[in-house]
Amino acid sequence: MGPTKRRSAVKLAGLAVAAPAAAARVLEEAAAEAMEFTRQAEATSLGSGTLDHLDLAVTEFNRAYSLKPPQAVFDAVLDYRRKVAALLAGRHTHRQERELLAFAGWLSELLAWLAHDLGDARTGLAFATDSFVHGQQAGHGELCAWAMDAAASINLYEQRPGQAREAALKGLIEAPATHPLTVRLHAQAARAAAADGDADGFTAAFRAAEDAHRLLPPRSPRRFGMDVLPLADYALTSYPATSFIWLGQAEQARRHAEQALATYEAAPAASRSPSREAIARIDLALAHALLGDPDDAIALGHQALGSARVVDSVRHRASDLVSFLNRRYPRQSAVEGLSERLAAARQALPAESPGA
């Protein structure tokens, strides 16, 4: 450093050439300034219990998801999502911001499934994307993966298997390796491959799901107080049942659909999913129809439409069943009765259900 630069540095430092009293005053002022820096870092407009309240609210919304009609839950969750957006626009600490971002993402993930249940794919995908982005901003990979799980299902029901597979793979990048969600996302990719008529792709992805299931730890993680392991177990039974239907492998579909239905029916009452049970019955009905047994297929179709929670995904799959029965068994008068029941279900207000 040259002489001129050294003199400039001394002038900038100031303290080095100040008298002792002046130096002490500078240090005292710096201490006060440091305290102000700390105060600003901790400054927040959030009440002391706001984050705890949000955690409780998201937990209750997750529980209400399987107990109340989706429109009512959607409205309540959207109201809270707007509240969190307002909180994010206010003053908060960096730690609080990360937590608020995560709560925003969890609420949007729920809204994605609820919109799917209500038959609005566009809104569902918009909230799934919002959930993913907020999860990224919060540094919450698991939340990002849940968001893409929702996007994969919605795209599948919209007959976009390519986008469904992309969403599943995007989620797998974020999901913890030994989490049940990893099993589910591999199974989502397998289901997307089957929907695209790719039998080899289905086999490879489903094998990855089975391998991931074997690596799960003894203790299952929980999501807002609920065990998520059943979601992995269901994916290994119901997803291949649907996939084998799409691949035209009726006997394999029948076996997996029966296993899925038994698994759902054996679940504790608090975690039963009527919509998933209904879809398993429709898969089983389609398998029977493929195997030349329209009577059992029609009976299972009526059972599915008699579910307490006939949401859009159930009506969508029931429509597949009715269309197939009409093509394969055009003279079967009982098919008309099932078709009429489906038409009535379409006109009824949708009931709540977990996403399938």
Side-chain angles (χ1 to χ4, degrees):
M1 181 184 293
T4 302
K5 290 185 177 180
R6 280 197 295 271
R7 283 194 296 272
S8 298
V10 169
K11 287 179 181 178
L12 287 171
L15 189 60
V17 295
R25 188 167 56 253
V26 169
L27 288 170
E28 183 177 348
E29 290 173 355
E33 196 170 6
M35 291 175 63
E36 176 60 16
F37 292 155
T38 302
R39 189 194 68 77
Q40 290 179 7
E42 294 180 335
T44 177
S45 59
L46 294 186
S48 60
T50 300
L51 294 174
D52 288 340
H53 173 79
L54 286 173
D55 184 69
L56 178 62
V58 174
T59 299
E60 289 304 312
F61 284 139
N62 273 270
R63 289 174 181 165
Y65 189 56
S66 59
L67 300 173
K68 296 182 180 180
Q71 186 64 63
V73 181
F74 184 93
D75 292 343
V77 176
L78 182 58
D79 179 60
Y80 261 77
R81 179 64 186 84
R82 289 168 175 156
K83 286 181 170 66
V84 173
L87 291 172
L88 279 166
R91 191 168 189 177
H92 41 68
T93 68
H94 290 303
R95 180 188 65 80
Q96 289 173 335
E97 181 182 39
R98 287 194 299 274
E99 292 194 55
L100 287 172
L101 287 165
F103 282 127
W106 285 119
L107 289 167
S108 285
E109 187 255 356
L110 263 177
L111 288 166
W113 282 116
L114 287 161
H116 171 56
D117 287 342
L118 291 165
D120 192 331
R122 182 172 176 271
T123 299
L125 289 171
F127 275 114
T129 299
D130 183 68
S131 176
F132 183 87
V133 169
H134 279 79
Q136 281 188 319
Q137 294 298 313
H140 200 313
E142 183 187 333
L143 171 55
C144 292
W146 282 113
M148 288 300 97
D149 176 56
S153 277
I154 295 169
N155 274 304
L156 271 169
Y157 277 93
E158 288 301 296
Q159 299 182 20
R160 294 194 289 254
Q163 289 92 325
R165 184 174 182 274
E166 287 175 8
L169 296 179
K170 191 174 179 180
L172 281 168
I173 294 172
E174 304 286 347
T178 57
H179 194 284
L181 181 54
T182 296
V183 178
R184 183 172 167 90
L185 286 166
H186 278 301
Q188 288 275 33
R191 188 165 63 154
D196 212 18
D198 181 2
D200 291 339
F202 163 76
T203 299
F206 188 66
R207 186 175 294 121
E210 291 177 316
D211 290 343
H213 191 271
R214 283 190 285 270
L215 294 176
L216 293 178
R219 188 170 185 177
S220 176
R222 303 184 77 79
R223 169 184 148 141
F224 296 106
M226 292 183 287
D227 185 3
V228 297
L229 181 60
L231 291 177
D233 296 336
Y234 297 159
L236 290 182
T237 54
S238 62
Y239 285 8
T242 303
S243 298
F244 284 123
I245 290 294
W246 290 337
L247 292 171
Q249 299 181 34
E251 189 55 44
Q252 287 274 58
R254 182 195 61 77
R255 181 168 61 84
H256 280 88
E258 287 177 347
Q259 186 180 353
L261 193 54
T263 301
Y264 292 143
E265 291 176 341
S271 59
R272 289 285 289 271
S273 174
S275 66
R276 291 192 181 102
E277 290 181 27
I279 289 172
R281 285 190 170 88
I282 293 170
D283 282 332
L284 187 55
L286 281 161
H288 278 288
L290 282 166
L291 291 167
D293 185 358
D295 292 338
D296 279 353
I298 292 167
L300 285 160
H302 278 290
Q303 290 174 24
L305 290 173
S307 169
R309 295 179 176 91
V310 179
V311 291
D312 191 68
S313 55
V314 175
R315 292 190 292 271
H316 188 285
R317 296 303 311 287
S319 179
D320 291 343
L321 173 62
V322 169
S323 295
F324 180 78
L325 287 169
N326 277 322
R327 290 196 308 273
R328 180 66 69 90
Y329 307 101
R331 298 182 186 84
Q332 182 69 258
S333 60
V335 176
E336 185 177 347
L338 183 62
S339 181
E340 290 172 354
R341 187 163 189 175
L342 173 59
R346 283 174 173 155
Q347 294 172 3
L349 287 174
E352 168 282 335
S353 166

